[in-house]
């Protein structure tokens, strides 16, 4: 069950490695297309990764370089905590470890409609 805060935030947490990147660390172009589509639904996308320090800065710089509509957590105290998000998009949470971006987008769009009806 989503809390009112989660519903109002319309925030989705997005992992970096293997989720918006391919295994070689380059941008997954399909992920880029669907991240922009999800953002256009009025969703705030936030980078949520286990990376820290220089590795986190690297990920942030790549997201900026790739012009993805993803915001960042700047407060070091909350990075390890769970983000109050509607959903988490993470390759490690999916059997087989590969995000199906088309299905993910369709699911979010459908669920967002339900949230708006409440």
């Amino acid at each position: 069950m989503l809390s009112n805060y989660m519903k109002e935030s319309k925030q989705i947490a997005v992992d970096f490695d293997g989720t918006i990147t391919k295994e070689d660390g380059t941008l997954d172009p399909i992920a880029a297309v669907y991240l922009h589509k999800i953002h256009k639904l009025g969703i705030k996308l936030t980078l949520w990764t286990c990376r820290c320090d220089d590795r986190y800065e690297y990920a942030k710089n790549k997201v900026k370089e790739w012009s993805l509509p993803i915001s960042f957590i700047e407060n070091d105290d909350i990075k390890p905590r769970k983000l109050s998000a509607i959903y988490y998009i993470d390759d490690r949470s999916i059997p087989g470890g590969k995000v199906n971006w088309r299905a993910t987008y369709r699911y979010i769009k459908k669920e967002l409609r339900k949230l708006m009806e409440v």
Side-chain angles (χ1 to χ4, degrees), residues 31-102:
V33 166
Y34 281 100
L35 287 167
H36 284 284
K37 285 183 167 207
I38 292 167
H39 179 71
K40 286 180 183 176
L41 294 173
I43 298 290
K44 178 184 177 187
L45 299 166
T46 302
L47 184 65
W48 191 251
T49 177
C50 287
R51 287 174 171 251
C52 58
D53 303 322
D54 291 343
R55 295 185 71 235
Y56 183 73
E57 291 303 316
Y58 174 82
K60 281 176 46 178
N61 289 335
K62 289 311 255 181
V63 167
K64 289 176 187 176
E65 176 186 321
W66 295 330
S67 301
L68 297 175
I70 297 176
S71 62
F72 311 104
I73 297 170
E74 299 301 337
N75 183 344
D76 288 335
D77 294 337
I78 64 170
K79 278 184 196 165
R81 295 192 199 141
K82 195 176 250 189
L83 187 66
S84 290
I86 301 170
Y87 303 109
Y88 292 77
I89 303 174
D90 188 337
D91 63 306
R92 301 266 177 163
S93 67
I94 299 168
K98 180 89 172 111
V99 176
N100 179 331
W101 281 100
R102 183 177 185 200

Side-chain angles (χ1 to χ4, degrees), residues 7-49:
K7 291 177 187 177
E8 290 168 11
S9 76
K10 291 187 192 166
Q11 181 169 232
I12 292 179
V14 183
D15 180 43
F16 184 76
D17 296 294
T19 300
I20 63 173
T21 68
K22 296 191 246 177
E23 289 197 23
D24 65 1
T26 59
L27 175 64
D28 179 343
I30 295 168
V33 166
Y34 281 100
L35 287 167
H36 284 284
K37 285 183 167 207
I38 292 167
H39 179 71
K40 286 180 183 176
L41 294 173
I43 298 290
K44 178 184 177 187
L45 299 166
T46 302
L47 184 65
W48 191 251
T49 177

